[in-house]
Amino acid sequence: MNLEHQSPEADPISPEVARSKPDDEPAAGQTQRHYWRSLQQWAELARWDSQPQQERGGTAEAWAEPVSRRHFVKLMSASLLLAGFGCTGCRRPEEPILPFSTQPPGYVHGLSQYYATAMPTQTGAVPLLVKVHEGRPIKIEGNPLHPDSNGGTDLFAQASILNLYDPDRVTQFKHAGQPVSRTEALDTLADLAKQFAANQGAGLAVLLQRSSSPSRERLIRALRARLPRAGWYVYDPVDFSRAELAARLAFGRPVRPYCRLDQARVIVALDWDFLGTEDNQHVAIRQFAQGRRLLKPTDPMNRLYVVESLLTLTGAQADHRLVLPPSAIIQAAAFLCDRLLGPAGAPLLSALRQAGPVSDQAAAWLAGCAADLLKPEHRGHSLVFAGHRQPLAVHLAAQAINAALGNIGQTVVYHAAAAEPFETLAQLRQALDAGAVQTLVILGGNPVYDAPADFDWGRTQRKAKTVLRLGYYEDETSAAADWLLPQAHYLEAWGDARTSDGTLLPVQPVIQPLFGGLSELEVLARLGALEPVDPYHIVRATFRELVGAAQSEELWKRFLHDGFLPGSAAKPEPVQFDFIAAARATEVTAEPPPSKDALEVVFSRDLKVDDGRYNNNGWLQELPDPITKLTWDNAILISPATAQALGLPRLQPAGPDWRVPVVQVTVADRTLTGPAWVQPGMADFVLGLTLGYGRSRTGRVGQGTGYNAYALRSWAAPNFVPGAKLKLTTQTYQLACTQSHGALEGRGAVREANREEYQRQPNLALELDHPAAHGPGLAHGQRRPLYPNPLDQPGPDGRTPRQRALHAWGMCIDLTACVGCGACVIACQSENNIPIVGKDQVARGREMHWLRLDRYYATGPAASQPQALAQVQVIHQPMLCQHCEAAPCESVCPFNATVHDEEGLNVMAYNRCVGTRYCSNNCPYKVRRFNYLDYHRRPLYLLRGPVYASPLVHRTEGQWDLSRWWRHPDGSLRPKTEWELLKLVQNPDVTVRMRGVMEKCTFCTQRIEQAKIANKMGAGPSKAGPLPDGAVLTACQQACPAGAIVFGNLKDPNSHVAQLKRQGRNYVVLEWLLTQPRVSYLARIRNPNPAMPDYVLPPLSRLEPEASGRQPSAES
Amino acid sequence: MSVSAVSLEGQRLPEFPDREPWIAPGCDLGWVTDRLARLSEGPAPRWWWRAFWISLLGSALLVALLAYQISVGVGVWGNNRPVMWGWDIINFVWWIGIGHAGTLISAMLFLLRQRWRTAVHRAAEAMTIFAVLCAAIYPAVHVGRVWFDWWLLPLPNSYGPVWPQFRSPLMWDLFALGTYFIVSVLFCYTGLIPDLAVLRDRARTKLGQWVYGLLALGWTGSARQWSHYQKAYLLLAGLSTALVVSVHSIVALNFAASQLPGWHTTLFPPYFVVGAIVSGLGMVLTLLIPLRRLAELDDVITLRHIDCLGKLTLAMCSLLGYAYGTELFMAWYSGNPFERFAVLHRATGPCAGAYWGMIGCCLVVPQLLWWPKVRRNPAMVWVIALLINVGMWLERYVIVVGVLERDFLPPNWSAYWPTWADVGTYVGTFGLFMTCFLLFMRFLPLVPIFEVKTTLPQADPQQPQGSPKLGGQT
């Protein structure tokens, strides 16, 4: 990996860039060269650049476009200014330029640079490395140097690069909906600042979202001092702060819990979806996977008990899963407290008991779980935690149990938290209603869309005289604001953040703001008339304050280079659980269990669009939900038994195009309608609603996706609410689901075993091959593959080309570690320029993901009863090109477009592909994707059937497409603004495929080649030996927070991948076909507790009947 | 025309079996020439014009839809993943099946000295050529990048050089199809030469004389020419018969060389050849039965011809039924659960309708042909032939979609629906086919003039007087 960084006050880049001089334009044909030698001089040129076009002649149309290429180039050349600050590479103007006569230090033309930065999240941050190619960021990777990271990221971080180049961003400053100049907007801010400085901030209310940024904290502190009469409010539609609140109450001081899942041997998750919808998912996944990393059968392995109401990613990993309605989880917590707290917990227990008793069945389960927790070897190595949806009482109960089990300081530590003097949205509403707010400043967020429905925020917000909004999109809130300021992407502006363990990170920009956006820090500074307003200096000042001025310079350089401040992680606080205080804070009322007429609605954060902030991100919209496999929509999730009880029609899976009934859900006086989706593994009489869809104002991508679950949400019950009614309407709705068959059908694609079986029989996975392999004459070794590899023919030296090769690339995927989060899918999409295809095309089964996650439900033999479907086991399997050594795709291609290379890659020559699609038909894994309709060049609205616009008769921007194509063969059917921006996100090392071409996983061949080149450059061409292990990371491997994907050289017996493949758990999918894949899987090992009532041996998938012609019943 | 009487007194007349004549009684040699040449002379009948305009409209639809598909992409059709081949390949195999039977009927029956072929073989050959033309459109345009189709040819090039993949059955298909098309055209043309000479001699316009003259290659009907001609025809017939078998076997290998359960089976080549004969017979009957009425050819294409074609159809359909049975048996006998699943899925899965439709149309319904009354009822035979065409289409649907929609890994299972463009293109190929066929019958003798004459009693040297009983003339 190439870690490049320009140190801050080091010599400025001194490229001898030649430009034609602005004022005295020489005669055509001869160019007078002027060299600039300092940044000041360059800045003058840049200033000249911003002068009106008419003054210097030339093409005016390029300047009329808001985002033309030229405009972008202008921005990028300006970004050179920042290069001296250590932030960015440079994208140079195209025409009047010559190559560097002196290279900037460390810069190699064509070689990408990596900068350390971070993506702020609600309670933490994701440490990142951003790959910058010629001045434009193109790929986001995790920062492996960070102490609390392995280089993995979550899918939001991977997808956030697409937001940067989103053509639907706010591109202009606006006042009352009309574009205004940046200066005018900033002047207004200055006027406001003057006004507030005069009246101490009276009438000012600032609405923020939570953030971990120390700079923001410092600025707000300063502002509070200056403007004591201003109000500071915080609102997050998905609020993760309850655990911290509980800790504050129970320990009597501001602390926040930090879980160390890798230390825990028994984990009990009470509606705690730490692998999915909780914040800092990537950290939790890594730590959890670390606790079940099996290198040999005797390795220790954690055990996960999950009590939950929806089927979540955490539930999918559970060794034991108890399905309860959300309101009954407190009963389970009370039961566990009863068994685990001991005498000290009596007051808390008596408060919790108000919730009522659990059912007998659940009691047996919980008793088994409690007994496991009480085992002496688990003391101090267990962890009980509650999810953000659960009320305070459950959080208190969970933390009390940890205290009783001696887990505090071991598996959960408490860090000091900032005192939280922010006020809530409800208080802001009161202030607005009282007319106390003159100026409302909304920084980020989208309250008009996501505030509780009972607040009617769109109208409430209008009660302020002036609403000033810093927003990334022109969304619902922007529409109800007077001033709209474009927000800078985190890759465009300076900032800082802390990860969940408290480590300080820089948020370094890698590109000048594309549309002149402002960061939160800058707006706050301007609002308070603080100096400096420049975010860079703000962040530096904070840094100086944090580390002390004396050693700040050296550390700052280190800080920016490494992307974190070493040793800045928070120290654990000594804490003592106060049962009396906890009991006092526990308010419990018994809820009747949900029933057919009083359903319980659960609102959950969406795994793809979060609370709605990623609604306009095409990659995330098209990513199949890890559980439901739905794309482009959310659905109202209903358990099979409930669907039956409510009379929902039974559905037959018919491919990716599903017509489902539309239902109406009523809670109190609020209703919403949405498509119903029958989801196995859910609690009965519970409706699962995901947030973030059904936007009334969003970009071109998010438009018309899903229903708005916020319409049912109230301030009092933001997480779950009882007493809902469901009515079936006569309408139906089309959903696009990428996987219509979830049963394994006994086909052994996924092999799994319980831990005891594995310890008894370490080679179990091999023996679980499909029975077809044992048919007459089909035993191993007796057959030749159907499509032998031509490279297996020995050459003159008696060795085959493959034997002569230095590398044999292979991959091993650990199904025990994989949780199915989907970060790999987005990473692959980002790295390999994979287009999105839109809902209509997904519904036609044409999505383009090279790497997909197959999700299997296993129900065992009792699958026919809907009740049994609550007890599903879920398995995720990443499926990508298996790079078969005896590849069935290769010999059927008449054009020789897909061939093998010596190192074992199944190579796809796009240029040679004519698109007969036979290779895909013959691929037993169906991992090849066909570009049916020029998905790169067509905008989404031209990808909806049944009639597609033909370039023969279609016009774009008033020009016939054919003539556009004739003039610009590289152009597209997209509007120019969109196309110019979207082109920038493409990885230049990977071909952008046209229509009619088959494509598939290449094992990131571009990364392999780059590593080889680097190796040869280092060793000299003749001496270059094989690449060292770890020199090549595929994009999916790099992104995987669990470390489930390992890629490397199989020729090296000591490589990580070769070692993994020697494990007894190693198997290949459809082994009996003798395709000899280079991708193998490590069987999933479950670790259930034999003493539990729901213990099954073997895992349910192995009890499944073999495939027959019937429809799998787990589907509906 | 009259035949001079030869004294036969004192000699016993040879016993002739009591058989129906091939050509209706009362038709002499001159009548045959007049009747058959009339189709391409004089003004076209009204029904022809009507049919022609409708067909031309269909051809226009085809052109428009191909332009749409090529300019937009294969996505305008219903193909998806995993069903990467849909109506494009179904229709390709369907048309190619039809295209095979024509030459086969003609050449094989010629080799077997079935004299009744004379009345129907030209129509069958024309059908072959145009069906192959329709079929060839599909593989050519169904690919993602049509403009690179020529890369399939093993041309010398500067790219390395890069050759086509000779292991791919699609590659073999190109050569098989090309050879077959060329030989079919040659075979048909060779058969046409004496008739072209007749048309040349009868032509009244300069243009006609010139064109037919050119095409007739100077045919004078000398004994020497006839001798060469018959040798050439025999050789071509032998070559064509072998080609028919090889071509459709290779089309079958397009599927069988894959490893999908349901495709990868050694049964496919003979199964496809039989299927092709069945579909060709179905199409011949579908075309000829209305045609003999419209073009007033009842006397030439008699009920006895239809009867013979019916018997042949029955035999071939039963053979096809045997192939269906073998497929079931082998799936069970292989012990491979994937094979078994593939077969069960066809009969019970989403394509079960197509499967049972295929069994009904291709196996059950043709059993009616056991009854002579049915065979001699043109309307009933026509309905059966039509159903056979439908059944053969369904068979290809089951083979293509039924296998692809359920392969190895359940998460890949999906469904397939054609789009309006799929349907429109298919309809368009009918337009093209009928346009070509109508033009052929307008300008060339659809029923071979000289060959029909050989089936007349007058042409039989063993029976100089003809059989009085059967209407021979004295």
Side-chain angles (χ1 to χ4, degrees), chain A residues 654 656 747 787 844-846 852 892-894 911 913-914 916-918 921-922 926 929 946 948 950 995 1108, chain B residues 68 70-71 75 77 79-81 84-85 88 142 144-145 165 168 254 257 259 341 407-408 412 414 417 420:
Chain A
R747 293 192 161 191
Y787 308 99
R844 289 167 197 267
R846 295 172 181 170
R852 65 171 197 261
V892 297
C893 172
N911 286 349
C913 176
V914 178
T916 66
R917 309 189 289 286
Y918 198 172
N921 284 344
N922 207 24
K926 291 286 177 285
R929 304 286 166 161
Y948 304 93
S950 162
R995 77 168 164 96
S1108 58
Chain B
Y68 171 59
I70 291 169
S71 65
W77 290 341
N79 306 41
N80 58 23
R81 188 196 61 92
M84 290 267 174
W85 289 350
D88 43 351
H142 94 123
R145 304 199 291 173
Q165 168 66 275
S168 169
N254 282 342
Q259 58 173 357
F341 171 80
D407 71 332
F408 295 97
N412 295 326
S414 192
W417 302 271
W420 63 271

Side-chain angles (χ1 to χ4, degrees), chain B residues 208-228:
Chain B
Q209 281 167 353
W210 190 76
V211 173
Y212 288 125
L214 203 68
L215 289 173
L217 302 177
W219 180 266
T220 56
S222 71
R224 189 183 159 87
Q225 279 182 339
W226 275 113
S227 150
H228 287 306

